[in-house]
mmCIF file of all heavy atoms in Angstrom:
data_model
loop_
_atom_site.group_PDB
_atom_site.id
_atom_site.type_symbol
_atom_site.label_atom_id
_atom_site.label_comp_id
_atom_site.label_asym_id
_atom_site.label_seq_id
_atom_site.Cartn_x
_atom_site.Cartn_y
_atom_site.Cartn_z
ATOM 1 N N GLY X 1229 75.768 100.913 113.695
ATOM 2 C CA GLY X 1229 75.427 101.540 112.450
ATOM 3 C C GLY X 1229 73.962 101.832 112.184
ATOM 4 O O GLY X 1229 73.482 102.875 111.795
ATOM 5 N N LEU X 1230 73.139 100.808 112.538
ATOM 6 C CA LEU X 1230 71.670 100.911 112.357
ATOM 7 C C LEU X 1230 71.096 101.956 113.240
ATOM 8 O O LEU X 1230 70.233 102.755 112.715
ATOM 9 C CB LEU X 1230 70.966 99.644 112.674
ATOM 10 C CG LEU X 1230 71.083 98.479 111.650
ATOM 11 C CD1 LEU X 1230 70.425 97.242 112.156
ATOM 12 C CD2 LEU X 1230 70.232 98.941 110.417
ATOM 13 N N SER X 1231 71.537 102.210 114.413
ATOM 14 C CA SER X 1231 71.051 103.266 115.298
ATOM 15 C C SER X 1231 71.422 104.585 114.710
ATOM 16 O O SER X 1231 70.696 105.577 114.840
ATOM 17 C CB SER X 1231 71.631 103.103 116.740
ATOM 18 O OG SER X 1231 71.209 101.827 117.285
ATOM 19 N N ALA X 1232 72.648 104.688 114.223
ATOM 20 C CA ALA X 1232 73.177 105.997 113.635
ATOM 21 C C ALA X 1232 72.362 106.283 112.399
ATOM 22 O O ALA X 1232 71.971 107.523 112.129
ATOM 23 C CB ALA X 1232 74.625 105.879 113.289
ATOM 24 N N GLU X 1233 72.002 105.326 111.633
ATOM 25 C CA GLU X 1233 71.215 105.577 110.450
ATOM 26 C C GLU X 1233 69.775 106.180 110.833
ATOM 27 O O GLU X 1233 69.296 107.136 110.104
ATOM 28 C CB GLU X 1233 70.937 104.324 109.613
ATOM 29 C CG GLU X 1233 70.161 104.482 108.289
ATOM 30 C CD GLU X 1233 69.657 103.228 107.701
ATOM 31 O OE1 GLU X 1233 69.544 102.216 108.452
ATOM 32 O OE2 GLU X 1233 69.425 103.255 106.475
ATOM 33 N N LYS X 1234 69.225 105.706 111.876
ATOM 34 C CA LYS X 1234 67.919 106.196 112.302
ATOM 35 C C LYS X 1234 67.968 107.631 112.722
ATOM 36 O O LYS X 1234 66.976 108.380 112.701
ATOM 37 C CB LYS X 1234 67.370 105.346 113.446
ATOM 38 C CG LYS X 1234 66.954 103.939 112.980
ATOM 39 C CD LYS X 1234 66.537 103.086 114.151
ATOM 40 C CE LYS X 1234 66.237 101.656 113.728
ATOM 41 N NZ LYS X 1234 65.915 100.785 114.853
ATOM 42 N N SER X 1235 69.136 108.068 113.177
ATOM 43 C CA SER X 1235 69.286 109.543 113.543
ATOM 44 C C SER X 1235 69.758 110.442 112.409
ATOM 45 O O SER X 1235 69.953 111.582 112.619
ATOM 46 C CB SER X 1235 70.282 109.646 114.717
ATOM 47 O OG SER X 1235 71.571 109.173 114.285
ATOM 48 N N GLY X 1236 69.756 109.825 111.190
ATOM 49 C CA GLY X 1236 69.962 110.655 110.039
ATOM 50 C C GLY X 1236 71.340 110.495 109.341
ATOM 51 O O GLY X 1236 71.560 111.140 108.274
ATOM 52 N N MET X 1237 72.180 109.640 109.851
ATOM 53 C CA MET X 1237 73.500 109.370 109.146
ATOM 54 C C MET X 1237 73.337 108.479 107.994
ATOM 55 O O MET X 1237 72.495 107.601 107.973
ATOM 56 C CB MET X 1237 74.462 108.831 110.209
ATOM 57 C CG MET X 1237 75.868 108.572 109.675
ATOM 58 S SD MET X 1237 77.041 108.052 110.906
ATOM 59 C CE MET X 1237 77.293 109.444 111.882
ATOM 60 N N ASP X 1238 74.155 108.664 106.962
ATOM 61 C CA ASP X 1238 74.177 107.784 105.820
ATOM 62 C C ASP X 1238 74.521 106.376 106.280
ATOM 63 O O ASP X 1238 75.493 106.205 106.996
ATOM 64 C CB ASP X 1238 75.258 108.277 104.829
ATOM 65 C CG ASP X 1238 75.411 107.436 103.637
ATOM 66 O OD1 ASP X 1238 74.503 107.384 102.771
ATOM 67 O OD2 ASP X 1238 76.368 106.670 103.639
ATOM 68 N N ARG X 1239 73.774 105.384 105.813
ATOM 69 C CA ARG X 1239 73.841 104.018 106.297
ATOM 70 C C ARG X 1239 75.293 103.485 106.006
ATOM 71 O O ARG X 1239 75.901 102.835 106.884
ATOM 72 C CB ARG X 1239 72.753 103.150 105.624
ATOM 73 C CG ARG X 1239 72.956 101.674 105.874
ATOM 74 C CD ARG X 1239 72.701 101.251 107.351
ATOM 75 N NE ARG X 1239 73.140 99.900 107.583
ATOM 76 C CZ ARG X 1239 72.347 98.817 107.431
ATOM 77 N NH1 ARG X 1239 71.080 99.092 107.018
ATOM 78 N NH2 ARG X 1239 72.711 97.622 107.708
ATOM 79 N N ALA X 1240 75.813 103.692 104.812
ATOM 80 C CA ALA X 1240 77.129 103.060 104.446
ATOM 81 C C ALA X 1240 78.227 103.663 105.429
ATOM 82 O O ALA X 1240 79.015 102.982 105.921
ATOM 83 C CB ALA X 1240 77.389 103.312 102.998
ATOM 84 N N GLN X 1241 78.114 105.030 105.591
ATOM 85 C CA GLN X 1241 79.125 105.706 106.444
ATOM 86 C C GLN X 1241 79.020 105.128 107.868
ATOM 87 O O GLN X 1241 80.034 104.835 108.501
ATOM 88 C CB GLN X 1241 78.836 107.163 106.437
ATOM 89 C CG GLN X 1241 79.933 108.007 107.170
ATOM 90 C CD GLN X 1241 81.173 108.317 106.341
ATOM 91 O OE1 GLN X 1241 81.420 107.533 105.425
ATOM 92 N NE2 GLN X 1241 81.899 109.291 106.732
ATOM 93 N N ALA X 1242 77.734 105.027 108.378
ATOM 94 C CA ALA X 1242 77.575 104.470 109.707
ATOM 95 C C ALA X 1242 78.115 103.043 109.837
ATOM 96 O O ALA X 1242 78.700 102.722 110.920
ATOM 97 C CB ALA X 1242 76.112 104.533 110.001
ATOM 98 N N ASP X 1243 77.876 102.268 108.814
ATOM 99 C CA ASP X 1243 78.372 100.893 108.890
ATOM 100 C C ASP X 1243 79.884 100.793 108.890
ATOM 101 O O ASP X 1243 80.455 99.986 109.593
ATOM 102 C CB ASP X 1243 77.841 100.037 107.662
ATOM 103 C CG ASP X 1243 76.349 99.639 107.944
ATOM 104 O OD1 ASP X 1243 75.819 99.845 109.074
ATOM 105 O OD2 ASP X 1243 75.760 99.007 107.043
ATOM 106 N N TYR X 1244 80.470 101.639 108.155
ATOM 107 C CA TYR X 1244 82.006 101.714 108.212
ATOM 108 C C TYR X 1244 82.522 102.079 109.565
ATOM 109 O O TYR X 1244 83.532 101.512 110.037
ATOM 110 C CB TYR X 1244 82.567 102.625 107.093
ATOM 111 C CG TYR X 1244 82.587 102.007 105.752
ATOM 112 C CD1 TYR X 1244 81.906 102.636 104.638
ATOM 113 C CD2 TYR X 1244 83.350 100.836 105.409
ATOM 114 C CE1 TYR X 1244 81.877 101.979 103.355
ATOM 115 C CE2 TYR X 1244 83.315 100.292 104.196
ATOM 116 C CZ TYR X 1244 82.636 100.868 103.115
ATOM 117 O OH TYR X 1244 82.664 100.306 101.866
ATOM 118 N N MET X 1245 81.845 103.078 110.180
ATOM 119 C CA MET X 1245 82.227 103.416 111.563
ATOM 120 C C MET X 1245 82.083 102.207 112.433
ATOM 121 O O MET X 1245 82.852 101.988 113.444
ATOM 122 C CB MET X 1245 81.378 104.557 112.035
ATOM 123 C CG MET X 1245 81.689 105.934 111.236
ATOM 124 S SD MET X 1245 80.520 107.223 111.522
ATOM 125 C CE MET X 1245 80.995 107.668 113.201
ATOM 126 N N GLY X 1246 81.001 101.465 112.316
ATOM 127 C CA GLY X 1246 80.709 100.265 113.161
ATOM 128 C C GLY X 1246 81.857 99.205 112.924
ATOM 129 O O GLY X 1246 82.256 98.611 113.856
ATOM 130 N N MET X 1247 82.285 99.092 111.676
ATOM 131 C CA MET X 1247 83.445 98.126 111.446
ATOM 132 C C MET X 1247 84.686 98.604 112.212
ATOM 133 O O MET X 1247 85.419 97.731 112.714
ATOM 134 C CB MET X 1247 83.747 98.180 109.959
ATOM 135 C CG MET X 1247 82.672 97.507 109.095
ATOM 136 S SD MET X 1247 83.095 97.619 107.349
ATOM 137 C CE MET X 1247 81.477 97.930 106.604
ATOM 138 N N LEU X 1248 84.957 99.803 112.289
ATOM 139 C CA LEU X 1248 86.168 100.311 113.039
ATOM 140 C C LEU X 1248 85.987 99.960 114.540
ATOM 141 O O LEU X 1248 86.982 99.700 115.217
ATOM 142 C CB LEU X 1248 86.327 101.828 112.816
ATOM 143 C CG LEU X 1248 86.677 102.294 111.428
ATOM 144 C CD1 LEU X 1248 86.846 103.819 111.362
ATOM 145 C CD2 LEU X 1248 87.816 101.538 110.841
ATOM 146 N N ALA X 1249 84.719 100.086 114.984
ATOM 147 C CA ALA X 1249 84.462 99.693 116.402
ATOM 148 C C ALA X 1249 84.807 98.215 116.685
ATOM 149 O O ALA X 1249 85.241 97.873 117.735
ATOM 150 C CB ALA X 1249 82.993 100.025 116.740
ATOM 151 N N THR X 1250 84.482 97.395 115.745
ATOM 152 C CA THR X 1250 84.796 95.960 115.915
ATOM 153 C C THR X 1250 86.329 95.716 115.921
ATOM 154 O O THR X 1250 86.708 94.812 116.672
ATOM 155 C CB THR X 1250 84.231 95.094 114.757
ATOM 156 O OG1 THR X 1250 84.905 95.262 113.582
ATOM 157 C CG2 THR X 1250 82.757 95.310 114.512
ATOM 158 N N VAL X 1251 87.067 96.593 115.242
ATOM 159 C CA VAL X 1251 88.520 96.407 115.345
ATOM 160 C C VAL X 1251 89.017 96.787 116.705
ATOM 161 O O VAL X 1251 89.915 96.160 117.269
ATOM 162 C CB VAL X 1251 89.187 97.186 114.265
ATOM 163 C CG1 VAL X 1251 90.675 97.179 114.343
ATOM 164 C CG2 VAL X 1251 88.807 96.700 112.818
ATOM 165 N N ILE X 1252 88.478 97.837 117.301
ATOM 166 C CA ILE X 1252 88.816 98.270 118.601
ATOM 167 C C ILE X 1252 88.610 97.073 119.631
ATOM 168 O O ILE X 1252 89.473 96.750 120.473
ATOM 169 C CB ILE X 1252 88.073 99.549 119.115
ATOM 170 C CG1 ILE X 1252 88.551 100.735 118.218
ATOM 171 C CG2 ILE X 1252 88.276 99.821 120.540
ATOM 172 C CD1 ILE X 1252 87.710 101.957 118.412
ATOM 173 N N ASN X 1253 87.401 96.461 119.516
ATOM 174 C CA ASN X 1253 87.102 95.360 120.428
ATOM 175 C C ASN X 1253 87.995 94.174 120.203
ATOM 176 O O ASN X 1253 88.382 93.511 121.109
ATOM 177 C CB ASN X 1253 85.567 94.877 120.197
ATOM 178 C CG ASN X 1253 84.647 95.954 120.777
ATOM 179 O OD1 ASN X 1253 84.971 96.631 121.702
ATOM 180 N ND2 ASN X 1253 83.405 95.905 120.330
ATOM 181 N N SER X 1254 88.303 93.968 118.904
ATOM 182 C CA SER X 1254 89.157 92.800 118.552
ATOM 183 C C SER X 1254 90.577 93.016 119.147
ATOM 184 O O SER X 1254 91.178 92.109 119.674
ATOM 185 C CB SER X 1254 89.258 92.668 117.016
ATOM 186 O OG SER X 1254 87.997 92.377 116.464
ATOM 187 N N MET X 1255 91.049 94.311 119.117
ATOM 188 C CA MET X 1255 92.325 94.628 119.707
ATOM 189 C C MET X 1255 92.338 94.350 121.260
ATOM 190 O O MET X 1255 93.333 93.842 121.801
ATOM 191 C CB MET X 1255 92.735 96.048 119.395
ATOM 192 C CG MET X 1255 93.088 96.306 117.975
ATOM 193 S SD MET X 1255 93.297 98.026 117.467
ATOM 194 C CE MET X 1255 94.931 98.299 118.336
ATOM 195 N N ALA X 1256 91.201 94.669 121.902
ATOM 196 C CA ALA X 1256 91.049 94.501 123.323
ATOM 197 C C ALA X 1256 91.169 92.979 123.642
ATOM 198 O O ALA X 1256 91.853 92.596 124.637
ATOM 199 C CB ALA X 1256 89.766 95.076 123.846
ATOM 200 N N LEU X 1257 90.474 92.155 122.851
ATOM 201 C CA LEU X 1257 90.510 90.729 123.099
ATOM 202 C C LEU X 1257 91.824 90.135 122.748
ATOM 203 O O LEU X 1257 92.410 89.303 123.498
ATOM 204 C CB LEU X 1257 89.378 90.022 122.198
ATOM 205 C CG LEU X 1257 89.375 88.533 122.359
ATOM 206 C CD1 LEU X 1257 89.045 88.108 123.730
ATOM 207 C CD2 LEU X 1257 88.322 87.920 121.366
ATOM 208 N N GLN X 1258 92.492 90.609 121.703
ATOM 209 C CA GLN X 1258 93.846 90.130 121.399
ATOM 210 C C GLN X 1258 94.796 90.435 122.499
ATOM 211 O O GLN X 1258 95.606 89.668 122.898
ATOM 212 C CB GLN X 1258 94.285 90.848 120.099
ATOM 213 C CG GLN X 1258 95.726 90.442 119.666
ATOM 214 C CD GLN X 1258 96.210 91.209 118.420
ATOM 215 O OE1 GLN X 1258 95.975 92.397 118.308
ATOM 216 N NE2 GLN X 1258 96.844 90.510 117.554
ATOM 217 N N ASN X 1259 94.637 91.683 123.075
ATOM 218 C CA ASN X 1259 95.558 92.084 124.149
ATOM 219 C C ASN X 1259 95.301 91.167 125.364
ATOM 220 O O ASN X 1259 96.291 90.682 126.007
ATOM 221 C CB ASN X 1259 95.294 93.511 124.586
ATOM 222 C CG ASN X 1259 96.155 93.895 125.771
ATOM 223 O OD1 ASN X 1259 97.361 94.243 125.696
ATOM 224 N ND2 ASN X 1259 95.549 94.033 126.921
ATOM 225 N N ALA X 1260 94.167 90.870 125.713
ATOM 226 C CA ALA X 1260 93.775 89.984 126.888
ATOM 227 C C ALA X 1260 94.320 88.562 126.607
ATOM 228 O O ALA X 1260 94.972 87.940 127.578
ATOM 229 C CB ALA X 1260 92.336 89.881 127.068
ATOM 230 N N LEU X 1261 94.237 88.042 125.452
ATOM 231 C CA LEU X 1261 94.812 86.705 125.087
ATOM 232 C C LEU X 1261 96.262 86.688 125.229
ATOM 233 O O LEU X 1261 96.828 85.804 125.728
ATOM 234 C CB LEU X 1261 94.292 86.307 123.648
ATOM 235 C CG LEU X 1261 92.779 85.858 123.584
ATOM 236 C CD1 LEU X 1261 92.442 85.851 122.154
ATOM 237 C CD2 LEU X 1261 92.641 84.466 124.199
ATOM 238 N N GLU X 1262 96.928 87.686 124.660
ATOM 239 C CA GLU X 1262 98.377 87.686 124.732
ATOM 240 C C GLU X 1262 98.912 87.921 126.057
ATOM 241 O O GLU X 1262 100.072 87.531 126.440
ATOM 242 C CB GLU X 1262 98.887 88.754 123.672
ATOM 243 C CG GLU X 1262 98.592 88.347 122.239
ATOM 244 C CD GLU X 1262 99.157 89.242 121.230
ATOM 245 O OE1 GLU X 1262 99.588 90.384 121.548
ATOM 246 O OE2 GLU X 1262 99.315 88.844 120.059
ATOM 247 N N THR X 1263 98.160 88.624 126.954
ATOM 248 C CA THR X 1263 98.513 88.772 128.320
ATOM 249 C C THR X 1263 98.549 87.458 129.020
ATOM 250 O O THR X 1263 99.365 87.180 129.961
ATOM 251 C CB THR X 1263 97.525 89.683 129.095
ATOM 252 O OG1 THR X 1263 97.437 90.982 128.517
ATOM 253 C CG2 THR X 1263 97.797 89.798 130.561
ATOM 254 N N LEU X 1264 97.707 86.491 128.530
ATOM 255 C CA LEU X 1264 97.718 85.152 129.114
ATOM 256 C C LEU X 1264 98.716 84.215 128.387
ATOM 257 O O LEU X 1264 98.752 82.988 128.655
ATOM 258 C CB LEU X 1264 96.263 84.554 128.971
ATOM 259 C CG LEU X 1264 95.231 85.310 129.754
ATOM 260 C CD1 LEU X 1264 93.769 84.752 129.355
ATOM 261 C CD2 LEU X 1264 95.460 85.214 131.264
ATOM 262 N N GLY X 1265 99.491 84.721 127.464
ATOM 263 C CA GLY X 1265 100.481 83.898 126.766
ATOM 264 C C GLY X 1265 99.977 83.148 125.561
ATOM 265 O O GLY X 1265 100.576 82.196 125.072
#
């Protein structure tokens, strides 16, 4: 989000997009853990 703000994006909008990115990463970790049982 901070990098996007520097390029002209609204900070709040950029931060919400960053939050969605954390969910993608969380799903990847969840999948890896469940693969291991």
Side-chain angles (χ1 to χ4, degrees):
L1230 279 173
S1231 300
E1233 183 195 22
K1234 289 175 184 174
S1235 64
M1237 184 176 286
D1238 176 75
R1239 172 66 189 274
Q1241 186 81 339
D1243 280 356
Y1244 279 120
M1245 292 170 69
M1247 290 177 220
L1248 298 181
T1250 72
V1251 176
I1252 292 172
N1253 286 338
S1254 297
M1255 291 174 70
L1257 179 61
Q1258 181 182 40
N1259 179 74
L1261 285 163
E1262 292 187 342
T1263 298
L1264 298 174

